[in-house]
């Protein structure tokens, strides 16, 4: 098992970092302040200061994916950090108390049978690479439950918007009570 | 959704606390030092110092329970803090990397179809009350993945041992690579 510290990431919106913040769009609920830059750092390093906001999340085991789906995903997906992936998005999401009160079979039914969450993501592989971070059980209060980080090439921006549109109209999204959409461009200059 | 801070608990083994430590038994893997007393505190309070060890865990949503099982559990279980429940156990467990690499359907299959984890617990309700705490995704390195807290009356000690014996011989336990069994008696004097 990977040590906790190697699975924990900080996303710091402020004046430093290799990602230029192009837009911070409130999708559901409150807006976040739009900083100039975003830095992504492993939690073991000192995050940059000062900053507008800082969000933390930890990668973890799959909660819904089944083996046949996992094999299909592994077969199609590519990793983060591809040179052509100069566009990125950070999408923090919070789900409602009603979601968390559901049992595993109920959540899986909404997540995949009704909403095709895995199936929709699969359609956009390998174009859209992603990493999911969990925040809900970090032990110190976090505003969001999940932070998803996406990377893609500029020519796949339309595909990325289509992916988000499909998820946001799915039954699962009735349980999302806060969502912010942060768009970024890699700009190390 | 309950705030994180109200779901986080610290278990402190030291010289203070209402629980007298009767035994600290290594079941699988390394032993822990046996302190005199154990204190259980919400994380928002200052935990007692000095101490031998301190373990933290957070209550969270169910990971495997399905609706029919949940209804049966809710119908039979009783809460912590019953006056007759003067015996308790704290059982920290770590699961192997192989467990965490399994997909949700594989883990559910081992957990319930092969091992009857929920079914075994149900047999001992309402005698044995329990609360599960997750540690793996707390964001700072924790030695264990789970802390389970059990409470029962002295006359149900044999039933509690039977419950543990059934779980420990189940296929699920092949994935447990560290387990310590800490037995306690309520003693506020």
């Amino acid at each position: 098992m990977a040590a906790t510290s190697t699975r924990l990431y900080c996303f710091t919106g402020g004046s430093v970092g290799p990602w230029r913040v192009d837009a911070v769009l409130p999708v559901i609920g409150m807006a976040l302040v739009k900083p100039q830059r975003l830095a992504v750092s492993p939690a073991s390093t000192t995050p940059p200061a000062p900053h507008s906001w800082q969000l933390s999340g930890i990668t973890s085991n799959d909660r819904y994916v089944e083996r046949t789906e996992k094999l299909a995903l592994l077969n199609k997906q590519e990793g983060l950090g591809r040179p052509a992936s100069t566009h990125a998005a950070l999408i923090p999401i919070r789900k409602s108390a009603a979601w968390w009160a559901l049992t595993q079979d109920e959540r899986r039914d909404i997540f995949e049978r009704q909403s095709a969450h895995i199936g929709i993501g699969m359609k956009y592989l390998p174009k859209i690479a992603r990493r999911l971070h969990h925040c809900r059980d970090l032990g110190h209060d976090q505003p969001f439950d999940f932070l998803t980080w996406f990377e893609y090439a500029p020519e796949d921006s339309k595909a990325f918007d289509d992916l988000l549109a499909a998820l946001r109209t799915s039954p699962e999204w009735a349980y999302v009570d806060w969502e912010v959409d942060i768009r970024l461009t890699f700009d190390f200059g």
Side-chain angles (χ1 to χ4, degrees), chain A:
Chain A
M1 172 184 122
T4 303
S5 54
T6 65
R7 297 189 283 119
L8 186 64
Y9 293 86
C10 279
F11 298 86
T12 306
S15 57
V16 298
W19 297 94
R20 187 181 69 229
V21 179
D22 297 321
V24 177
L25 311 162
V27 180
I28 300 169
M30 281 195 301
L32 280 186
V33 167
K34 180 181 174 299
Q36 286 185 286
R37 318 282 300 184
L38 182 93
V40 185
S41 54
S44 52
T45 63
T46 308
H51 55 263
S52 302
W53 43 257
Q54 188 165 76
L55 302 171
S56 299
I58 190 164
T59 61
S60 187
N61 59 298
D62 297 319
R63 301 291 205 266
Y64 301 107
V65 172
E66 301 185 351
R67 179 56 61 188
T68 49
E69 295 159 345
K70 181 81 175 179
L71 291 172
L73 289 168
L74 289 172
N75 193 44
K76 264 191 98 177
Q77 73 193 7
E78 294 178 1
L80 300 180
R82 295 171 295 186
S85 293
T86 57
H87 278 27
L90 174 66
I91 305 201
I93 275 179
R94 190 180 67 189
K95 282 183 169 171
S96 65
W99 174 262
W100 296 112
L102 296 174
T103 52
Q104 179 67 29
D105 55 327
E106 291 168 335
R107 281 182 277 106
R108 161 77 198 187
D109 187 78
I110 295 165
F111 184 89
E112 194 57 24
R113 194 186 62 80
Q114 297 182 37
S115 304
H117 192 131
I118 299 163
I120 290 168
M122 187 95 70
K123 270 181 62 181
Y124 296 94
L125 292 179
K127 287 179 180 173
I128 316 294
R130 70 188 271 288
R131 186 171 64 208
L132 175 65
H133 312 78
H134 298 255
C135 328
R136 185 168 185 264
D137 292 341
L138 273 183
H140 49 279
D141 284 315
Q142 286 288 318
F144 296 97
D145 290 334
F146 303 100
L147 308 174
T148 312
W149 176 260
F150 300 92
E151 289 181 6
Y152 51 94
E155 60 268 28
D156 293 323
S157 297
K158 172 69 168 60
F160 182 59
D161 286 335
D162 292 346
L163 183 163
L164 293 183
L167 288 174
R168 286 172 183 160
T169 53
S170 72
E172 184 191 351
W173 246 247
Y175 296 91
V176 173
D177 67 9
W178 192 10
E179 178 178 10
V180 182
D181 184 337
I182 302 165
R183 298 299 177 99
L184 308 145
T185 302
F186 193 75
D187 167 31
F188 222 155

